[in-house]
Amino acid sequence: MSEETRSDVYAELAAVGPYGVRPGHALITMVEPHPGHEYAYNRWYEDDHYYAGAMAMPWMYAGRRWVATRDLQLLRYPEKSAIAQPVTAGCYLSTYWITDGRYDDHMRWTVAINKRLNRDARVYQDRTHVFTAFQDHEATVYRDGAAGPRDFHALDHPYAGLVVEVIDAESAEQRAELLEWLRSRHLPKRVAGSPAAMVTVFRPTPLPGDRMTYVKQVEGVDTRLTLLWFLETDPRECWEAYYADLDAPVREAGLGRVELVAPFVPTVPGTDKYVDRLR
């Protein structure tokens, strides 16, 4: 068995390279199952793909699935989004943390395993990738300072909701300015006293040329930022007070355009909860 799986190589790999707990990279993937395939897609993803196509892989050490029921989809904005057309598309979201400094190692494995899964008919085809990107971590802003979960805990802590915000700057230079404004001025003020315990900020990285053909190349590599707001409250309960106008401060600062604000709640693993509320 050792020769078949090349177990001897594992000892060599474990002895070298970064192995911290910081989420240096993330996979953020928003997917729309085709109409009529909601239950089958959910069972495939939870029963097989979440593990075989994600969590079982080296250096991908935390993950969580989220869902947007129809009422949550209808809270999204702007109506004309560069991310989702229509803006309600993409009712399932999966988020994963990857060990800092291990992006290349993980990517080689994930491309290979997904080719194998596809060849073995273990990839569900009746779905559309609305927004799928590997991303590099840029910043985390905490509401409570050193108290409470860190960003590496975020996908294991039982947060009640998540808001995804995607902002496009007009240039790489403007994105750098946007990031600094978010990190030092805007986000600390916005999370103070709010339901969001933390906000993580990521920038997308290009997918490799040998990626699976059903995943389109990442857009906005030089100009885009993705923010994940981790909420201690169901987003429906605090939407109007805190998240219905996230685009306004960005617009007023003149540092970019908010292309998506989308709320989600966590799925309940092993169940079909919420599947009947997607349409």
Side-chain angles (χ1 to χ4, degrees):
M1 190 60 158
S2 172
E3 289 179 10
E4 290 176 21
T5 60
R6 299 173 64 186
S7 298
D8 53 323
V9 180
Y10 283 80
E12 294 177 33
L13 295 175
V16 296
Y19 67 125
V21 300
R22 180 173 172 266
H25 322 275
L27 171 59
I28 302 169
T29 174
M30 190 167 74
V31 172
E32 180 74 8
H34 295 170
H37 292 265
E38 295 84 0
Y39 281 93
Y41 168 79
N42 188 54
R43 291 274 44 86
W44 163 75
Y45 202 101
E46 286 204 343
D47 296 347
D48 189 14
H49 199 63
Y50 178 82
Y51 300 104
M55 293 305 299
M57 287 195 257
W59 308 115
M60 182 171 269
Y61 68 89
R64 174 154 288 188
R65 291 186 75 216
W66 312 83
V67 60
T69 51
R70 187 62 182 170
D71 57 334
L72 288 168
Q73 295 166 33
L74 293 173
L75 295 176
R76 294 181 183 182
Y77 60 92
E79 187 179 349
K80 292 185 177 176
S81 166
I83 306 298
Q85 299 91 31
V87 71
T88 52
C91 55
Y92 280 107
L93 180 82
S94 296
T95 50
Y96 301 98
W97 290 166
I98 299 167
T99 303
D100 192 23
R102 289 294 190 171
Y103 175 77
D104 291 340
D105 298 334
H106 174 78
M107 188 55 62
R108 292 189 70 174
W109 190 288
T110 191
V111 168
I113 203 70
N114 276 286
K115 285 183 175 178
R116 183 181 180 187
L117 289 168
N118 198 51
R119 187 177 66 240
D120 293 345
R122 284 174 64 183
V123 173
Y124 199 85
Q125 303 295 346
D126 290 294
R127 78 204 198 283
T128 299
H129 279 264
V130 176
F131 177 62
T132 294
F134 283 88
Q135 314 225 8
D136 288 343
H137 179 262
E138 285 286 6
T140 301
V141 175
Y142 296 103
R143 182 191 61 200
D144 305 321
R150 305 290 85 197
D151 51 13
F152 46 85
H153 300 127
L155 302 185
D156 295 308
H157 187 79
Y159 285 113
L162 181 78
V163 175
V164 179
E165 179 181 9
V166 181
I167 309 174
D168 281 349
E170 290 187 9
S171 65
E173 293 74 24
Q174 190 185 63
R175 183 176 72 177
E177 196 181 342
L178 170 66
L179 175 62
E180 184 53 35
W181 175 76
L182 287 168
R183 179 166 38 199
S184 62
R185 295 174 57 193
H186 176 60
L187 294 179
K189 205 163 44 177
R190 194 83 187 204
V191 298
S194 82
M198 73 177 82
V199 186
T200 58
V201 184
F202 292 90
R203 61 177 171 84
T205 57
L207 287 169
D210 56 353
R211 70 190 184 281
M212 298 308 295
T213 53
Y214 52 77
V215 180
K216 67 180 181 180
Q217 186 53 273
V218 174
E219 299 168 346
V221 169
D222 297 319
T223 55
R224 180 167 287 171
L225 291 175
T226 305
L227 284 65
L228 302 179
W229 302 70
F230 289 90
L231 311 186
E232 294 179 327
T233 305
D234 185 309
R236 284 165 285 225
E237 297 172 13
C238 56
W239 191 253
E240 288 303 320
Y242 290 99
Y243 304 106
D245 68 339
L246 288 180
D247 54 340
V250 177
R251 187 170 56 247
E252 289 163 12
L255 294 174
R257 171 179 158 79
V258 170
E259 291 290 358
L260 181 69
V261 177
F264 293 85
V265 293
T267 61
V268 180
T271 75
D272 288 319
K273 188 172 183 179
Y274 303 121
V275 178
D276 60 346
R277 294 167 55 191
L278 302 178
R279 307 299 180 199

